[in-house]
Amino acid sequence: MKYKLIRTWRKTLALQLKGWVLIVRSPKLMPKFMIENFVSKHKNWIEKKMKVAYPKWIPVKKSDNEILELKKKAKQYIPERVEYFAKKYNKKYNKIRITSARTRWGSCTSAKNLNFSYRLIQADTKAIDYVIVHELAHLKHMNHSKAFWSHVEEMMSDYKYWDQWLKKEGRKLW
Ligand SMILES: [Zn+2]
């Protein structure tokens, strides 16, 4: 579990959630293993709090199994959704690849291959749609020109909201 450690001249350990960041306040000289123990002892409490604040929150450090599960879901859902939009807007792409990228939710190559991060599967379905539409628009415009954005808007009128949403909330999907 990831956390930000703040050491001060206090006597006890304390946990605090600031948004989705876990802050651990500890005495200045307390050994790291004691802090780690404290955090893992309170893991359930932290996860419960996180889930209330962010229903879609998934712990930052995912287990191998969780990652496999998400990748499986992404491989089922994303290509199908791409196909839906491709048919609707008459787009021809080559291959779809599911990647592990953290901040690049999607990309489009000059060979017309589309890449999507498996992490995206944890996002709101509208956010997923936005990334798909964004990459499909790159098949026509390989840049972020005005023409590109108006093409995105043709396919998804509220795309700006989801673009912002990913910028603000995207890290929760790591
Ligand atoms: Zn782009």
Side-chain angles (χ1 to χ4, degrees):
M1 184 162 282
K2 263 192 185 168
Y3 55 85
K4 193 176 157 194
L5 182 61
I6 300 174
R7 288 181 183 274
T8 54
W9 290 112
R10 55 180 294 137
K11 291 204 169 84
T12 56
L13 280 161
L15 295 175
Q16 184 194 5
L17 279 175
K18 252 192 187 167
W20 52 273
V21 179
L22 175 63
I23 296 170
V24 181
R25 296 180 188 276
S26 90
K28 267 236 152 80
L29 306 171
M30 183 173 271
K32 193 77 194 266
F33 80 91
M34 284 178 79
I35 297 165
E36 291 283 337
N37 280 349
F38 179 77
V39 171
S40 67
K41 226 172 81 188
H42 290 83
K43 200 169 168 257
N44 286 341
W45 176 87
I46 297 159
E47 291 193 350
K48 221 156 80 195
K49 284 262 172 180
M50 281 292 210
K51 276 185 182 138
V52 171
Y54 304 106
K56 283 174 188 284
W57 183 80
I58 286 173
V60 174
K61 267 197 185 161
K62 297 181 181 79
S63 70
D64 290 352
N65 251 341
E66 284 168 326
I67 293 170
L68 272 178
E69 207 46 48
L70 288 174
K71 281 184 177 167
K72 211 170 100 189
K73 273 195 209 163
K75 277 177 188 162
Q76 277 164 357
Y77 183 80
I78 295 172
E80 213 174 85
R81 203 65 189 149
V82 172
E83 192 50 35
Y84 164 81
F85 281 109
K87 273 216 178 100
K88 191 170 172 186
Y89 296 105
N90 200 23
K91 300 282 182 195
K92 300 261 179 289
Y93 59 90
N94 197 5
K95 265 186 259 170
I96 298 175
R97 220 162 50 92
I98 302 297
T99 70
S100 299
R102 264 185 208 274
T103 49
R104 277 193 113 191
W105 303 114
S107 58
C108 174
T109 72
S110 53
K112 294 191 186 297
N113 291 326
L114 305 175
N115 302 318
F116 299 95
S117 171
Y118 79 84
R119 297 171 208 276
L120 197 55
I121 198 68
Q122 304 162 91
D124 193 290
T125 52
K126 290 285 278 177
I128 303 176
D129 283 354
Y130 161 64
V131 176
I132 292 171
V133 159
H134 182 119
E135 298 316 325
L136 288 174
H138 276 316
L139 292 169
K140 192 172 174 187
H141 305 278
M142 281 300 274
N143 51 43
H144 290 117
S145 61
K146 256 193 163 163
F148 166 82
W149 288 114
S150 71
H151 189 43
V152 171
E153 196 168 13
E154 276 164 27
M155 295 188 276
M156 189 176 189
S157 55
D158 59 348
Y159 81 90
K160 274 185 192 146
Y161 176 84
W162 295 106
D163 186 45
Q164 285 306 306
W165 186 90
L166 277 170
K167 279 181 185 133
K168 276 202 306 247
E169 315 282 318
R171 290 183 68 174
K172 282 183 218 156
L173 311 179
W174 293 4

